[in-house]
């Protein structure tokens, strides 16, 4: 589906001139930033993963089947994913690589919120050439997972443990 937007520019010089041009916006080319609010959490935690076809990014309640999908988006159309944890609660975010990398092109940002015991777990990943942990402080930093062809970043803050169950050539 496309939309046409008419734009008119006027030159404020002594001899005003104007012109009109058509700009075509193709909705299929647009990407979206996905935000998962703190209200989406349950005590079981959240899991970010791909569907079995590897094309749909899903946020599900941890420990449930694919029918408990809270968010679902075409991965190629998602620019970034931001997950906000609850205040004074134990939040556990699992990034599950079993159907491929669910990390959008601009990465995942996860804020555990204040208080509680907030955690990040990386699971079911194989084929990584490197998994690099960059620590800003005891509770914040980033994890970069790399394959032979791409790298993806998870930024985090307000966390206590980070569990890395990835099988990679090098953990840095």
């Amino acid at each position: 589906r496309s939309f046409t937007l008419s734009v008119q520019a006027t030159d404020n010089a002594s001899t005003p001139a104007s012109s009109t041009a058509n700009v075509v916006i193709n909705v299929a080319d647009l990407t979206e930033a996905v935000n998962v609010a703190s209200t989406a959490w349950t005590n079981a935690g959240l899991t970010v993963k791909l569907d079995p076809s590897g094309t749909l990014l899903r946020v599900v309640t941890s420990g449930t089947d694919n029918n408990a999908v809270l968010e679902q988006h075409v991965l190629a159309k998602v620019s970034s994913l931001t997950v906000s944890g609850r205040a004074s609660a134990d939040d556990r975010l699992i990034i599950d690589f079993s159907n491929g990398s669910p990390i959008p092109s601009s990465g995942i940002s996860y804020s555990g919120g204040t208080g509680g015991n907030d955690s990040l777990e990386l699971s079911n990943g194989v084929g990584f050439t490197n998994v690099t942990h960059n620590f800003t402080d005891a509770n914040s930093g980033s994890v970069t997972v790399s394959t032979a062809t791409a790298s993806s970043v998870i930024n985090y803050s307000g966390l206590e443990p980070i569990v890395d169950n990835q099988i990679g050539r090098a953990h840095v």
Side-chain angles (χ1 to χ4, degrees), residues 10-36:
T10 303
D11 182 356
N12 290 327
S14 60
T15 310
S18 65
S19 64
T20 302
N22 288 326
V23 176
V24 178
I25 300 172
N26 188 345
V27 174
D29 292 336
L30 298 178
T31 61
E32 64 180 317
V34 175
N35 295 298
V36 179

Side-chain angles (χ1 to χ4, degrees), residues 2-172:
S2 10
F3 299 92
T4 301
L5 171 67
S6 295
V7 177
Q8 184 174 5
T10 303
D11 182 356
N12 290 327
S14 60
T15 310
S18 65
S19 64
T20 302
N22 288 326
V23 176
V24 178
I25 300 172
N26 188 345
V27 174
D29 292 336
L30 298 178
T31 61
E32 64 180 317
V34 175
N35 295 298
V36 179
S38 60
T39 55
W41 287 88
T42 67
N43 288 336
L46 298 178
T47 299
V48 176
K49 63 182 184 176
L50 294 179
D51 73 315
S53 75
T55 59
L56 296 176
L57 171 66
R58 290 182 171 167
V59 178
V60 303
T61 300
S62 296
T64 63
D65 61 23
N66 287 338
N67 294 326
V69 175
L70 302 172
E71 295 268 349
Q72 178 171 288
H73 304 270
V74 175
L75 178 63
K77 300 297 178 190
V78 176
S79 59
S80 63
L81 174 64
T82 300
V83 181
S84 299
R86 302 171 292 176
S88 301
D90 297 342
D91 298 322
R92 177 177 168 216
L93 180 66
I94 299 170
I95 310 296
D96 183 342
F97 295 89
S98 60
N99 293 322
S101 177
I103 303 174
S105 60
S106 293
I108 293 176
S109 293
Y110 171 39
S111 172
T114 57
N117 187 28
D118 305 314
S119 64
L120 172 64
E121 180 179 328
L122 309 177
S123 68
N124 297 319
V126 294
F128 295 126
T129 54
N130 287 307
V131 177
T132 306
H133 294 266
N134 296 302
F135 302 103
T136 304
D137 58 36
N139 307 99
S140 305
S142 66
V143 180
T144 302
V145 291
S146 302
T147 65
T149 58
S151 292
S152 302
V153 178
I154 303 164
N155 292 298
Y156 60 87
S157 62
L159 301 187
E160 287 67 46
I162 299 168
V163 180
D164 183 352
N165 294 324
Q166 302 313 300
I167 300 170
R169 287 192 183 158
H171 281 71
V172 182

